[in-house]
Amino acid sequence: MNGKDQSVASSLHSKPGLASAATSHLSLENVHGSIEVPPHQASFWQQWKAFVGPAILVSGGYMDPGNWGTDLQGGAQYKYGLLWVVGLASLMAIFMQVISARLGVVTGKDLAQCCRDWYPSWTRWPNWLLSEVAIGACDLAEVLGSAVALNLLFHIPLLWAVIITGLDVLLLLGLQRFGMRTIEAVVLLLVATIAGCYFIEIFVLPQTQPSFLELGHALLIPSLRHAGMLYVAIGIIGATVMPHNLYLHSALVQSRRLQKDDSSIRRALQFNTIDSTVALTVAFFVNAAILVLAATVFFGKTGTAVPGGKFVTFSANSDWIRVAYLTLAPLLGTAAASTLFAVALLAAGQSSTITGTLAGQVVMEGFMHWRIMPWVRRLITRSLAILPAVLIIGIRGDSSVTDLLTLSQVVLALQLPFAMFPLLHFTSSQKRMGKWRNGYLLLIAGWASAILITSMDIYGLPESLKTAWQLISGG
């Protein structure tokens, strides 16, 4: 039995008769079991080096433009008051991604395959279609983020910038030829670029160095004392856990050539937990830095003049991504601030695009057992995102970017329970996971996170649906 077959055989607790189906329908087949795992005797760092990677890919989705919009708004309106919400959202994300990786390691299936195999057959089509729409909505946010960055950096009209983002299909197709390690390395570089830009913004530029004592107080002492804070908090939490990341992570962990004995499973669970915790902690620091930058620069100000004599007004309805770029340079007195912001935004859009494409492949192959050429898959995903963006921006102009981001978050909120609750159902099951089912910590933290995120999404949904309808109807 080769390494790939052993990985599939690790579906220890699946129903009899499903093994042959699973063997012939591997998700991300070209990278499944492609990375060697060192023996038990290897050092900690050798083993960590082998397992690190899947969570780095997933972390890109936690720094996407949808998060930027809510973090910028939170900092600009309430200073550091919502920093604890960013921390809470990141903690819940860690729990959910650890559980997703656990499902993939123990069962040898990703979440989409589990839903196909263990739920009634009539659920496949609606689950797959909902997942595809959610991935398209998420890709819409990445398209807008990358397009706005291109527009800001190179003054390309936004409509053309959106169309240009379709060319990043060539990037992913080129990367897939070199294997999963290359994709992981590129995403790591993009994440490092985002983190580096914000490190300079916060720690190097003297105008934006915050009070760390005040930051610690805001992080550790929750408060929603001001009107409107709850709604922004819901936006921050709702934009954090992405449904496609739960499908993707459970598939990515199987790129390692895992064995099915207890000690190998235990080791894989430990190192994937470390991988998830470290990668999403970095994502937390990036999101916190975005909020802190906005708080330091925008809080307490009503607007500022930009080159050319135009006055930009700050309000709750501002397009904060564009406002941040236009006003960072005059407020901080250095053009580097705006450039760093736009470069980080472009890196965020591209890293999220890569993970969204892989997730699309996972849900199509997992739910439907359909295989199509990667470039066709990529064009389908990107078309679902570009067409509405081109249509609405062409009709309503650049001002509709924030509304489009809101629309994408509405779709993600609607899909999220269909990913979170099956994941928790399977991983809490003795029948599916055996002795590797969720312990009390993951059981309580996972279900509490899912219920809180879903409740907040539902609470904020009427206002988001109203905004989305106005966007669609042109009101």
Side-chain angles (χ1 to χ4, degrees), residues 60 63-65 68 139 141-143 145-146 168 190 194 344-354 382:
M63 294 175 269
D64 79 328
W68 284 51
D139 208 40
E142 327 316 353
V143 164
S146 297
D168 67 10
L190 293 170
I194 302 168
L345 178 61
L346 183 60
Q350 289 305 297
S351 64
S352 302
T353 287
I354 291 172
R382 184 41 55 101

Side-chain angles (χ1 to χ4, degrees), residues 55 88 159 176 186 207 209 214 230 239-240 268 285 292-293 330 352 354 407 431 451:
L88 176 63
L159 186 61
Q176 283 187 322
V186 170
Q207 304 94 325
Q209 290 182 5
E214 193 176 354
L230 178 60
T240 299
F285 281 117
V292 168
L293 179 69
S352 302
I354 291 172
L407 178 62
K431 179 181 180 182
I451 292 169

